[in-house]
C-alpha cells in the first residue's frame, strides 16, 4: 500500500473514531415534545359541588363548559355526591360573591350565586362563569367592557358575555401551568360583585 493511501485510510479511521467518541459524550438529545397523553396528565382537575345551588343548574353547567372550552390545563368536574369538592357553589339571596383563588387540588373556595343580581337584570350564566373565574384566581376588572368576563356588573345588565377573553384565559393557564396550581395559595378574600 503506497504511503499516501495508508495515510488516507488512517485519517479516515481516525475521523470515524473521533466522531463515534464525540457522539458518545455529546449532550443528550432534547426532550421530545409533549404528547397528548403528557398534556392530559398535566391537567389540574378541580371538583365543584353545586348541590346547594338550586335554580342555577343550567347557568353553572354553561359556566363550567365555557371554562373547560377555553382553558386547557385546568378542568372543572362535578363532584360525586358525598365527596369533597374544591369549589362549593351555593345559591343565596344577596349579591354574587366568591373567594379569590387560585384554588389548588385539596383546597376549598366558596362561590355564592346571589339572586339579587338576577332580580336587577344581570345574566345568570355570566354571573356563574364570572364567579368561577374568581375561584380560578381572577380578580375583578372594574370598570371594564362586556368583552371582559371579569368586569362583572360594571358591564351592565345588557351584557351576557360568559366567555373569558385572551388575557383572562392566559392568567388562568399561568396559574395552573405545569399541571400544578400556582404555589400561591388561594387569596382567601371574598369578592362581592355588587355594582
Amino acid at each position: 500500500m503506497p504511503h499516501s493511501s495508508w495515510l488516507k485510510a488512517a485519517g479516515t479511521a481516525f475521523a470515524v473514531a473521533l466522531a463515534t467518541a464525540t457522539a458518545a459524550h455529546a449532550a443528550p438529545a432534547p426532550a421530545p415534545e409533549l404528547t397528548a397523553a403528557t398534556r392530559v396528565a398535566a391537567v389540574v382537575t378541580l371538583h365543584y359541588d353545586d348541590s346547594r345551588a338550586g335554580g342555577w343548574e343550567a347557568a353553572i353547567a354553561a359556566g363550567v363548559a365555557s371554562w373547560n372550552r377555553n382553558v386547557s390545563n385546568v378542568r372543572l368536574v362535578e363532584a360525586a355526591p358525598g365527596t369533597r369538592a374544591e369549589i362549593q357553589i351555593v345559591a343565596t339571596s344577596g349579591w354574587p360573591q366568591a373567594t379569590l383563588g387560585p384554588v389548588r387540588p385539596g383546597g376549598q373556595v366558596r362561590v355564592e350565586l346571589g339572586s339579587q343580581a338576577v332580580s336587577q337584570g344581570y345574566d345568570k350564566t355570566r354571573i356563574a362563569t364570572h364567579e368561577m373565574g374568581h375561584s380560578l384566581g381572577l380578580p375583578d376588572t372594574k370598570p371594564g367592557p362586556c368583552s371582559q368576563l371579569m368586569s362583572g356588573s360594571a358591564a351592565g345588565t345588557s351584557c351576557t358575555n360568559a366567555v373569558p377573553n385572551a388575557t383572562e384565559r392566559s392568567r388562568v393557564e399561568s396559574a395552573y401551568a405545569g399541571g400544578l396550581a400556582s404555589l400561591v395559595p388561594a387569596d382567601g378574600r371574598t369578592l362581592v360583585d355588587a355594582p
Side-chain angles (χ1 to χ4, degrees):
M1 173 184 266
H3 185 62
S4 63
S5 295
W6 182 86
L7 283 176
K8 190 183 243 185
T12 302
F14 178 73
V16 169
L18 182 61
T20 303
T22 303
H25 297 294
E33 290 195 31
L34 291 177
T35 64
T38 306
R39 279 189 215 104
V40 169
V43 173
V44 174
T45 300
L46 298 173
H47 295 90
Y48 67 92
D49 176 2
D50 63 354
S51 62
R52 296 182 297 151
W56 287 85
E57 294 85 357
I60 293 167
V64 166
S66 179
W67 281 111
N68 286 344
R69 263 192 319 274
N70 286 287
V71 293
S72 61
N73 60 9
V74 64
R75 194 67 46 222
L76 301 175
V77 176
E78 187 170 6
T83 63
R84 182 167 165 50
E86 287 85 7
I87 305 171
Q88 295 289 319
I89 306 174
V90 298
T92 68
S93 59
W95 278 97
Q97 55 188 291
T99 310
L100 181 59
V103 64
R104 290 186 269 177
Q108 197 164 61
V109 294
R110 181 177 170 97
V111 168
E112 296 184 12
L113 300 176
S115 62
Q116 191 171 355
V118 177
S119 68
Q120 292 198 13
Y122 292 96
D123 182 72
K124 276 182 138 179
T125 299
R126 179 172 167 84
I127 293 168
T129 311
H130 172 93
E131 298 305 327
M132 285 183 239
H134 287 318
S135 298
L136 299 175
L138 297 177
D140 287 315
T141 55
K142 295 179 180 180
C146 183
S147 61
Q148 290 177 343
L149 174 63
M150 300 314 293
S151 68
S153 60
T157 57
S158 63
C159 179
T160 60
N161 172 43
V163 177
N165 68 19
T167 300
E168 294 162 335
R169 292 190 304 267
S170 176
R171 288 188 70 182
V172 171
E173 295 284 14
S174 178
Y176 292 92
L180 297 173
S182 168
L183 295 178
V184 178
D187 184 286
R189 286 183 295 155
T190 299
L191 304 178
V192 179
D193 288 305

